Amino acid sequence: MLKNSKFLFILISFLIIFYQVSLGQENKNYSITGVLMDFESKQLIEFASVAIYKIPDTVLITGTITNAKGEFILNKLTSGKYFIKSSFVGYQTISKDIEIINASINLSEPIYLTSSALSLNEVQVTATRNEKQITIEKTKINVAQNISSVSGNVTDVLKSQSSVNIDGENNVYLRGNKNILILIDGVPTTVSTLNSIPASNVDNIEIITNPDAKYDAEGTGGIINIVTKRQNLSGFSGAASLNYGFNNRINGGLSFNYSKGIWDIGVNYNGKYEKSEIQSNLTRELYTQNIFVDQEIKSTQINPTHTLSLLLNAKPTKKDIFSFGFKFVSPNLNNTQTITGQQINDTLPAIYFNRKNDITFSRKTIESTLSYKKIFEKNKNELSFDASFSRTKGSRPAEYYIENELLQKSSGGGAPTNMTIQADYLKSLFKTGKIEFGLKGFSRWNNFNYYFYDLDTNLNQWNLNSAFSNDLEHQEYIYSSYLMYSDSLFKKIFFKAGARIEYNTSELIQKSINDRIYKDYVFPFPYLLLKYNINKTQSVALSVNRRITRPTYPQMNPFINVIDQMTYETGNKNLKPEILDKIEFNYSLIKEKFQFKTNVFYSITNDFISQVSMLSVPDKLILTYVNGDRQHKIGGDFDITYKFNKHISINPSFSVFYTQSTGQYNEIDLSTNNLAWTGNIKTIIKPEKKTEIQVFLNYNSPIELPQFNLSEIYYADIAVKRTFFDNKFSVSLTLT
């Protein structure tokens, strides 16, 4: 009996020791990976906090911060039951139960965060999305948070950003560079002006200053991506908007969405009408000819636009997604200019002139997209195919009156067309790495005809002016491939490295003189991004990339456009692309009441493209485009947000850059040496939950360009918004 008891004691002791050893050797290298996403906008959320707690004792095990793609990984976990807590400023904290059973877990669906809302005795306090979110790669503007732009267009939204300048002709400059790639929902477009896109139809605008290798390399100034509104509700839903600007602008729209089963169908209409009265003065002195011109210009611009879009999504399985989109846009513009003034010469009597230019730009754009995504494993192994088509058919009839008599007229038109087909593949490697690879073919072409006529007053007959008339055909093909790898190191460092290579052919055919110019190029575009999370509130980042701007069709088209009685504009068919190399540093400090973000950059641009003016005959000026040698630019963007309390917040921002250019074209000096800056301050006052007041002050300093200066611009917006019926209806009043 004693022997049996002793044997039993030894056996039990051995089992206890074995269990403890086994427990000590249990796998502690399981991990949980996932993605955080904004529920409304479906945008990824970076720098959000993710923590994991043990059940049932709710002991904190570990935590981390999401990276630039909203991704997180929680390592060194054992089998058992847990809950994950996700939080970010302005969002509700979300908890999610999860169980590890002898294997790592990759969450197949994103964790969605919604704007925070707390109900206490029928009193609701709601936090809204920040108007802008700034990282080293891009600035995202939430349009709905900008009350003053709700009745305007995309240009009105952009002008509130400190890094953006807009001149009198509505050209957009980003850090002093107007060579910008415009995308709508991530797709290149043939829509020629941002004024034709109403702000009421836009969810957010991304100003991408450091695009990674996945993006097209076009645009040395960067990329502006306009993300249109989409409904994300199940069942049947709809929305309506109407915005009226006193005497000169109105816009509105209707949208309907139906979602059931595998189908999601959305239809959207948006219309806009703007009328602008512009008065300006122009003085010009030609020193070599002793000619002085002083003229006053009164312009009336009428701009109606209609947009109709259809979006169809189908998800036959959780791993297969089909999408088709179609859009029709009709942006028209009539510009009537009355130009009066005098031209003085030292030796001749003064010449007084009275001229009227009546020009109509009539355009119709169709755009379509088709895509398919195969999800082998959500956010870890995906393959997608995308195709797009964009075509704008336009005409440009014009009449020119001299001393109230119709003496010149012109007609012309073209059909710029873009077509894209691409394939993208991503695959997770190791524990936190991801490799991305893609192929893309892009083509754009245009056939343009322009005819200019002078009236023979003796015979009352219109004669074709061959010097001003032209016919042109342009074809460009760009074939590209990219490879990129991203990963996290030591939980706090995120990096992304890759390269893109593009092969480009360009052909310009001037039929009237049987002239053909053919060029081809091969360009490599390296890319590197490093991010380091110092702690939960601070991070730093470094980016290195290369961009290109290929000459646009108007910059190359050699036809002559009449501006006034002594000024003409033409393109340069021998333009070369400009290449930019840039390094940029970012620092971010994000706290609940205080945020500070800054981007500091340095860039070198070779063969930069610049507009110049030159004399063609003694008293006639020709505006055209040429290549300079090199342009150096150093600068920074600074943005501060401070919330005093739940009623008042203030957002000052500041952008400054110094530019030095060198170059020579014939006898024209293209050198510049200029410091420019933009500053603005926005104050938001919420006296109570349904009322919001925004006061915005902005100043843009002069910018020196080769031969030209952009004058200073300053303005103020005061806007008041009041919501009714549980935020389903709102009324706003804006003074600009």
Side-chain angles (χ1 to χ4, degrees):
M1 184 72 178
L2 184 60
K3 289 182 179 180
N4 292 337
S5 300
K6 186 176 181 180
F7 174 79
L8 182 62
F9 173 78
I10 293 173
L11 178 62
I12 293 173
S13 300
F14 177 81
L15 291 174
I16 292 173
I17 293 171
F18 178 80
Y19 174 77
Q20 290 175 338
V21 171
S22 300
L23 188 64
Q25 293 178 346
E26 182 183 4
N27 189 339
K28 293 186 178 182
N29 289 321
Y30 298 139
S31 64
I32 299 175
T33 57
V35 175
L36 294 192
M37 185 175 288
D38 185 297
F39 178 77
E40 295 180 3
S41 67
K42 299 299 183 288
Q43 298 291 314
L44 299 172
I45 303 174
E46 61 176 334
F47 302 126
S49 298
V50 182
I52 188 166
Y53 297 80
K54 189 76 173 178
I55 294 178
D57 49 11
T58 67
V59 174
L60 175 65
I61 304 301
T62 186
T64 187
I65 296 175
T66 57
N67 64 19
K69 293 186 176 182
E71 300 166 334
F72 67 86
I73 181 168
L74 302 165
N75 287 314
K76 296 183 179 179
L77 301 174
T78 62
S79 295
K81 293 183 178 181
Y82 302 87
F83 70 89
I84 298 174
K85 185 180 290 186
S86 307
S87 61
F88 191 61
V89 176
Y91 291 89
Q92 290 183 2
T93 298
I94 299 296
S95 294
K96 179 181 179 65
D97 293 339
I98 198 165
E99 183 176 4
I100 297 177
I101 305 176
N102 299 327
S104 296
I105 295 176
N106 174 47
L107 300 176
S108 59
E109 296 293 332
I111 297 176
Y112 290 102
L113 300 186
T114 57
S115 298
S116 57
L118 177 64
S119 296
L120 296 173
N121 298 326
E122 298 183 355
V123 176
Q124 187 181 57
V125 179
T126 303
T128 58
R129 290 185 292 167
N130 291 331
E131 180 182 337
K132 53 187 173 182
Q133 293 145 15
I134 302 172
T135 67
I136 191 171
E137 295 171 279
K138 64 184 177 183
T139 296
K140 189 179 81 171
I141 309 168
N142 296 311
V143 175
Q145 305 304 318
N146 190 328
I147 303 175
S148 62
S149 65
V150 70
S151 63
N153 52 57
V154 168
T155 303
D156 295 319
V157 180
L158 290 171
K159 72 179 185 181
S160 65
Q161 304 309 303
S162 61
S163 59
V164 175
N165 295 79
I166 298 174
D167 65 17
E169 298 178 350
N170 289 314
N171 294 310
V172 179
Y173 293 79
L174 183 55
R175 294 172 172 172
N177 189 338
K178 70 174 182 178
N179 297 323
I180 302 168
L181 175 63
I182 304 298
L183 305 177
I184 297 180
D185 294 323
V187 177
T189 179
T190 55
V191 173
S192 58
T193 173
L194 297 179
N195 280 359
S196 64
I197 305 174
S200 59
N201 192 38
V202 177
D203 180 73
N204 64 78
I205 300 174
E206 297 175 332
I207 303 175
I208 308 172
T209 51
N210 286 290
D212 63 34
K214 188 174 181 178
Y215 286 92
D216 289 340
E218 186 75 33
T220 50
I223 297 174
I224 294 179
N225 182 32
I226 300 161
V227 182
T228 56
K229 288 182 178 178
R230 297 183 181 181
Q231 296 289 329
N232 293 302
L233 302 176
S234 60
F236 181 82
S237 59
S241 65
L242 179 65
N243 306 291
Y244 177 72
F246 289 105
N247 298 324
N248 60 6
R249 59 172 55 180
I250 184 172
N251 71 59
L254 293 170
S255 63
F256 300 96
N257 189 82
Y258 178 73
S259 181
K260 186 176 182 180
I262 69 171
W263 298 103
D264 187 359
I265 304 173
V267 179
N268 180 282
Y269 166 78
N270 203 282
K272 176 179 76 75
Y273 174 87
E274 291 184 3
K275 182 178 180 180
S276 303
E277 302 284 349
I278 303 169
Q279 295 189 32
S280 59
N281 293 287
L282 172 67
T283 58
R284 180 182 285 118
E285 186 170 0
L286 307 182
Y287 294 100
T288 57
Q289 307 298 327
N290 293 321
I291 295 175
F292 180 82
V293 177
D294 183 17
Q295 65 186 32
E296 181 181 0
I297 306 170
K298 295 181 179 179
S299 301
T300 301
Q301 297 181 359
I302 300 175
N303 180 209
T305 302
H306 301 277
T307 303
L308 180 65
S309 61
L310 168 69
L311 182 64
L312 176 64
N313 290 324
K315 297 180 181 179
T317 70
K318 290 185 177 181
K319 295 182 179 290
D320 297 281
I321 303 174
F322 295 87
S323 179
F324 171 75
F326 176 82
K327 184 181 295 182
F328 172 79
V329 185
S330 177
N332 296 312
L333 172 65
N334 175 255
N335 185 17
T336 303
Q337 291 181 315
T338 301
I339 304 172
T340 58
Q342 61 179 346
Q343 180 172 321
I344 302 173
N345 186 288
D346 285 349
T347 59
L348 299 174
I351 301 173
Y352 296 90
F353 52 84
N354 180 9
R355 182 184 184 90
K356 185 175 80 168
N357 301 337
D358 189 352
I359 306 173
T360 299
F361 299 88
S362 179
R363 304 181 180 97
K364 290 179 174 58
T365 300
I366 57 170
E367 297 185 335
S368 62
T369 58
L370 179 65
S371 65
Y372 167 71
K373 177 181 282 189
K374 178 67 176 180
I375 302 174
F376 302 101
E377 188 177 0
K378 185 71 174 178
N379 296 319
K380 287 209 168 197
N381 191 358
E382 298 179 352
L383 176 66
S384 62
F385 298 93
D386 297 273
S388 66
F389 177 84
S390 178
R391 181 180 179 87
T392 297
K393 187 175 182 179
S395 62
R396 186 188 178 276
E399 294 180 339
Y400 306 95
Y401 296 81
I402 301 174
E403 302 302 328
N404 299 316
E405 184 178 358
L406 178 61
L407 296 179
Q408 297 172 326
K409 67 179 182 179
S410 66
S411 64
T417 305
N418 292 349
M419 183 179 292
T420 301
I421 183 169
Q422 68 183 81
D424 300 280
Y425 178 72
L426 69 86
K427 171 71 175 176
S428 292
L429 297 177
F430 313 114
K431 291 184 178 180
T432 58
K434 182 179 292 185
I435 190 168
E436 297 176 80
F437 171 75
L439 297 170
K440 182 174 183 178
F442 173 75
S443 63
R444 55 185 174 191
W445 63 91
N446 191 6
N447 293 317
F448 185 84
N449 296 296
Y450 183 75
Y451 307 102
F452 193 93
Y453 301 91
D454 295 305
L455 179 64
D456 186 331
T457 54
N458 294 324
L459 300 176
N460 195 28
Q461 176 179 305
W462 290 101
N463 297 324
L464 180 68
N465 188 327
S466 59
F468 287 10
S469 302
N470 208 336
D471 52 5
L472 197 70
E473 182 178 334
H474 177 236
Q475 298 178 1
E476 189 166 29
Y477 298 91
I478 303 170
Y479 307 97
S480 58
S481 175
Y482 72 89
L483 180 65
M484 192 163 53
Y485 180 74
S486 58
D487 206 343
S488 296
L489 300 173
F490 315 115
K491 294 184 179 181
K492 289 189 174 184
I493 299 176
F494 172 81
F495 75 88
K496 188 190 297 184
R500 186 182 188 92
I501 187 167
E502 295 187 351
Y503 172 65
N504 171 211
T505 67
S506 175
E507 185 176 38
L508 194 69
I509 302 174
Q510 199 170 351
K511 300 176 183 177
S512 58
I513 60 174
N514 195 27
D515 185 34
R516 175 182 179 269
I517 297 177
Y518 177 85
K519 298 177 182 178
D520 63 341
Y521 310 92
V522 176
F523 294 110
F525 300 96
Y527 177 82
L528 175 66
L529 172 67
L530 296 171
K531 283 189 177 183
Y532 175 68
N533 294 324
I534 302 172
N535 51 43
K536 290 185 177 181
T537 61
Q538 298 181 81
S539 67
V540 292
L542 179 72
S543 172
V544 179
N545 71 350
R546 170 178 287 183
R547 306 287 296 166
I548 185 174
T549 289
R550 299 173 178 88
T552 62
Y553 183 77
Q555 291 173 335
M556 294 186 297
N557 194 336
F559 90 90
I560 297 176
N561 177 34
V562 178
I563 296 179
D564 57 34
Q565 79 287 341
M566 68 173 298
T567 312
Y568 304 87
E569 183 178 18
T570 186
N572 178 0
K573 59 188 178 182
N574 296 309
L575 273 183
K576 297 183 293 185
E578 67 175 32
I579 300 289
L580 173 140
D581 292 287
K582 182 175 64 172
I583 183 170
E584 187 157 342
F585 174 81
N586 168 272
Y587 170 76
S588 296
L589 172 64
I590 303 176
K591 294 186 176 182
E592 186 173 356
K593 288 189 175 183
F594 177 79
Q595 294 185 16
F596 173 70
K597 299 178 181 180
T598 180
N599 289 331
V600 179
F601 64 91
Y602 172 72
S603 67
I604 300 175
T605 305
N606 291 305
D607 297 321
F608 69 92
I609 298 173
S610 177
Q611 190 179 47
V612 297
S613 63
M614 62 187 75
L615 287 172
S616 60
V617 293
D619 61 346
K620 302 297 182 185
L621 275 178
I622 291 287
L623 303 180
T624 189
Y625 299 88
V626 300
N627 288 107
D629 291 335
R630 180 169 291 187
Q631 187 176 81
H632 299 263
K633 185 174 291 187
I634 185 170
D637 306 322
F638 307 88
D639 190 273
I640 299 172
T641 300
Y642 183 74
K643 298 180 180 179
F644 293 94
N645 49 49
K646 65 181 181 179
H647 299 294
I648 302 176
S649 66
I650 189 170
N651 174 215
S653 60
F654 180 79
S655 181
V656 60
F657 58 87
Y658 170 78
T659 306
Q660 184 183 58
S661 303
T662 59
Q664 189 86 14
Y665 180 79
N666 294 337
E667 296 180 355
I668 300 174
D669 184 10
L670 300 177
S671 62
T672 60
N673 211 333
N674 174 242
L675 179 70
W677 63 277
T678 299
N680 58 49
I681 184 169
K682 186 170 190 173
T683 303
I684 300 176
I685 303 171
K686 297 180 179 179
E688 47 91 27
K689 66 176 183 177
K690 293 184 178 181
T691 304
E692 182 172 327
I693 303 169
Q694 295 183 1
V695 180
F696 180 80
L697 306 174
N698 184 85
Y699 175 79
N700 295 356
S701 78
I703 298 178
E704 181 183 344
L705 304 172
Q707 279 203 321
F708 296 94
N709 289 320
L710 296 180
S711 298
E712 63 180 1
I713 302 173
Y714 43 88
Y715 58 88
D717 290 335
I718 302 174
V720 182
K721 181 180 179 180
R722 172 78 176 180
T723 62
F724 304 89
F725 308 119
D726 295 328
N727 296 326
K728 295 180 180 178
F729 179 79
S730 66
V731 175
S732 61
L733 176 66
T734 303
L735 174 66
T736 300

